[in-house]
Amino acid sequence: MRRLLIIGGVAAAGVLLASCATMSKDECLVGDWGQKGYDDGASGYPMTRLEEHAKACAKYQVMPNPNAYQSAREDGLRGYCTFQRGWTEGRAGNTYYGVCRPQEEAEFLPAYRDGRLLYDAVAAVESAQSALNSAISRIENREDKLEAKQAELRQSGLSDGERQKIRDRIQEVRGEIRDARRNARDADAALDMARREEDRVRYELSRRYPV
């Protein structure tokens, strides 16, 4: 589990850190590498974060101070690698980059895993609710379209060919409504299942955490 979390976290970090500068011009010029190291440690960033800072500051001809950064980062990590923080990070769905020492990780990681269980359960409910909302919206949209086509069919002056074309489209829309209603039933069942799972997870975790 730890290995998977670390691998996944490092991959995600590479994408996120490469997407934007991690330090502004003013931060680079001030050069408070101790504070930056502490903040990064308190946020659970890996040591590779310093490489991203170096890239961000290179355009301003500023080099980092690795010693000041690393020493302060260790101080920040002591506040991060705790049981309480593990729960908070997992509950928020944040990535763990494997930064805690073994003795600290023994406290941090179980709480982090539990937090992720609840995060995933809540996310599943939100996803199922979104799918149900989409299906309901599609039903309403197609019902409006069906009503419009039926009104169009009642117009006078239409040729037989035009009327047949409208009838064909009405049949298509009715089929789309049936599909959307079936999707809504499936989404409703999935939502019910997801809610039951969330309730189960909350109940199991309520003895150890404020859920």
Coordinates of all heavy atoms in Angstrom, one line a residue, residues 124-136 139 179-195:
A124 N -17.7 8.8 -4.2 CA -18.5 7.9 -4.9 C -20.0 8.4 -4.8 O -20.7 8.3 -5.8 CB -18.4 6.5 -4.3
V125 N -20.4 8.9 -3.7 CA -21.8 9.4 -3.6 C -21.9 10.6 -4.5 O -23.0 10.7 -5.2 CB -22.1 9.8 -2.1 CG1 -23.4 10.6 -2.0 CG2 -22.1 8.6 -1.2
E126 N -21.0 11.5 -4.5 CA -21.1 12.7 -5.3 C -21.1 12.3 -6.8 O -21.8 12.9 -7.6 CB -19.9 13.6 -5.0 CG -19.9 14.2 -3.6 CD -18.7 15.0 -3.3 OE1 -17.7 14.9 -4.1 OE2 -18.7 15.7 -2.3
S127 N -20.3 11.3 -7.2 CA -20.3 10.9 -8.6 C -21.6 10.3 -9.0 O -22.2 10.6 -10.1 CB -19.2 9.9 -8.8 OG -19.1 9.4 -10.1
A128 N -22.2 9.5 -8.1 CA -23.5 8.8 -8.4 C -24.6 9.9 -8.5 O -25.5 9.8 -9.3 CB -23.8 7.8 -7.4
Q129 N -24.5 10.9 -7.6 CA -25.5 11.9 -7.6 C -25.4 12.7 -8.9 O -26.5 13.1 -9.5 CB -25.3 12.9 -6.4 CG -26.4 14.0 -6.3 CD -27.8 13.5 -6.0 OE1 -28.0 12.9 -4.9 NE2 -28.7 13.6 -7.0
S130 N -24.2 13.0 -9.3 CA -24.0 13.7 -10.6 C -24.6 13.0 -11.8 O -25.2 13.5 -12.7 CB -22.5 14.0 -10.8 OG -22.3 14.7 -12.0
A131 N -24.3 11.6 -11.8 CA -24.9 10.8 -12.9 C -26.4 10.8 -12.9 O -27.0 10.9 -13.9 CB -24.3 9.4 -12.7
L132 N -27.0 10.8 -11.7 CA -28.4 10.8 -11.6 C -29.0 12.2 -12.1 O -30.0 12.2 -12.8 CB -28.9 10.6 -10.2 CG -30.4 10.6 -9.9 CD1 -31.1 9.6 -10.8 CD2 -30.7 10.4 -8.4
N133 N -28.3 13.2 -11.7 CA -28.8 14.6 -12.1 C -28.7 14.7 -13.6 O -29.6 15.3 -14.2 CB -27.9 15.6 -11.4 CG -28.1 15.7 -9.9 OD1 -29.1 15.2 -9.4 ND2 -27.2 16.4 -9.2
S134 N -27.6 14.2 -14.2 CA -27.5 14.2 -15.6 C -28.6 13.5 -16.4 O -29.1 13.9 -17.4 CB -26.1 13.7 -16.0 OG -25.0 14.5 -15.5
A135 N -28.9 12.3 -15.8 CA -29.9 11.5 -16.4 C -31.3 12.2 -16.3 O -32.1 12.2 -17.3 CB -30.0 10.1 -15.8
I136 N -31.6 12.8 -15.2 CA -32.8 13.5 -15.0 C -32.9 14.7 -16.0 O -33.9 15.0 -16.6 CB -33.0 14.0 -13.6 CG1 -33.2 12.8 -12.7 CG2 -34.2 14.9 -13.4 CD1 -33.2 13.1 -11.2
I139 N -33.7 13.5 -19.4 CA -35.1 13.2 -19.5 C -35.9 14.4 -19.8 O -36.8 14.5 -20.7 CB -35.6 12.4 -18.3 CG1 -35.0 11.1 -18.1 CG2 -37.1 12.3 -18.3 CD1 -35.3 10.4 -16.8
D179 N -34.2 5.4 -22.8 CA -32.8 5.2 -22.4 C -32.4 6.0 -21.2 O -31.7 5.6 -20.3 CB -31.8 5.5 -23.6 CG -32.0 4.5 -24.8 OD1 -32.5 3.4 -24.5 OD2 -31.5 4.8 -25.9
A180 N -32.8 7.3 -21.2 CA -32.5 8.2 -20.1 C -33.1 7.8 -18.9 O -32.5 7.9 -17.8 CB -32.9 9.6 -20.5
R181 N -34.4 7.3 -18.9 CA -35.0 6.8 -17.7 C -34.4 5.5 -17.2 O -34.3 5.4 -16.0 CB -36.5 6.5 -18.1 CG -37.4 7.8 -18.2 CD -38.8 7.5 -18.7 NE -39.6 8.7 -18.7 CZ -40.8 8.8 -19.3 NH1 -41.3 7.7 -19.9 NH2 -41.4 9.9 -19.3
R182 N -33.9 4.7 -18.1 CA -33.2 3.5 -17.7 C -31.9 3.9 -17.0 O -31.5 3.4 -15.9 CB -32.9 2.6 -18.8 CG -32.1 1.3 -18.5 CD -32.1 0.3 -19.6 NE -31.5 0.8 -20.8 CZ -32.2 1.2 -21.9 NH1 -33.5 1.0 -21.9 NH2 -31.6 1.7 -23.0
N183 N -31.2 4.9 -17.6 CA -29.9 5.4 -17.0 C -30.2 6.0 -15.6 O -29.4 5.9 -14.7 CB -29.3 6.4 -17.9 CG -28.8 5.8 -19.2 OD1 -28.5 4.6 -19.2 ND2 -28.6 6.7 -20.2
A184 N -31.4 6.7 -15.5 CA -31.7 7.3 -14.2 C -32.0 6.2 -13.1 O -31.6 6.4 -12.0 CB -32.9 8.2 -14.4
R185 N -32.6 5.2 -13.5 CA -32.9 4.1 -12.6 C -31.6 3.4 -12.1 O -31.4 3.2 -10.9 CB -33.8 3.0 -13.2 CG -35.2 3.4 -13.4 CD -36.1 2.2 -13.7 NE -35.8 1.6 -15.0 CZ -36.3 2.0 -16.2 NH1 -37.1 3.0 -16.2 NH2 -35.9 1.3 -17.3
D186 N -30.7 3.2 -13.1 CA -29.4 2.7 -12.7 C -28.6 3.6 -11.8 O -27.9 3.2 -10.8 CB -28.5 2.4 -14.0 CG -29.1 1.2 -14.8 OD1 -30.0 0.5 -14.3 OD2 -28.8 1.1 -16.0
A187 N -28.6 4.9 -12.1 CA -27.9 5.9 -11.3 C -28.5 6.0 -9.9 O -27.8 6.2 -9.0 CB -27.9 7.2 -12.0
D188 N -29.8 5.9 -9.9 CA -30.5 6.0 -8.6 C -30.1 4.8 -7.7 O -29.8 4.9 -6.5 CB -32.0 6.0 -8.7 CG -32.7 6.3 -7.4 OD1 -32.4 7.3 -6.8 OD2 -33.6 5.5 -7.1
A189 N -30.0 3.6 -8.3 CA -29.5 2.4 -7.6 C -28.1 2.5 -7.1 O -27.7 2.2 -6.0 CB -29.7 1.2 -8.4
A190 N -27.3 3.1 -8.0 CA -25.8 3.3 -7.7 C -25.7 4.3 -6.5 O -24.9 4.1 -5.6 CB -25.1 3.7 -8.9
L191 N -26.5 5.3 -6.6 CA -26.5 6.3 -5.5 C -26.9 5.7 -4.2 O -26.3 6.0 -3.1 CB -27.4 7.5 -5.9 CG -27.5 8.6 -4.8 CD1 -26.2 9.2 -4.5 CD2 -28.5 9.7 -5.3
D192 N -27.9 4.9 -4.2 CA -28.4 4.3 -3.0 C -27.3 3.4 -2.4 O -27.0 3.4 -1.2 CB -29.6 3.4 -3.2 CG -30.2 2.8 -2.0 OD1 -30.5 3.5 -1.0 OD2 -30.2 1.5 -1.9
M193 N -26.6 2.6 -3.3 CA -25.5 1.8 -2.8 C -24.3 2.6 -2.3 O -23.7 2.2 -1.2 CB -25.0 0.9 -4.0 CG -23.9 -0.1 -3.6 SD -23.4 -1.1 -5.0 CE -25.0 -1.9 -5.4
A194 N -24.0 3.7 -3.0 CA -22.9 4.5 -2.5 C -23.2 5.1 -1.2 O -22.3 5.3 -0.3 CB -22.6 5.6 -3.6
R195 N -24.4 5.6 -1.0 CA -24.8 6.1 0.3 C -24.7 5.1 1.4 O -24.3 5.5 2.6 CB -26.2 6.7 0.2 CG -26.3 8.1 -0.5 CD -27.7 8.5 -0.7 NE -27.8 9.9 -1.2 CZ -28.9 10.4 -1.8 NH1 -30.0 9.7 -1.9 NH2 -28.9 11.6 -2.2

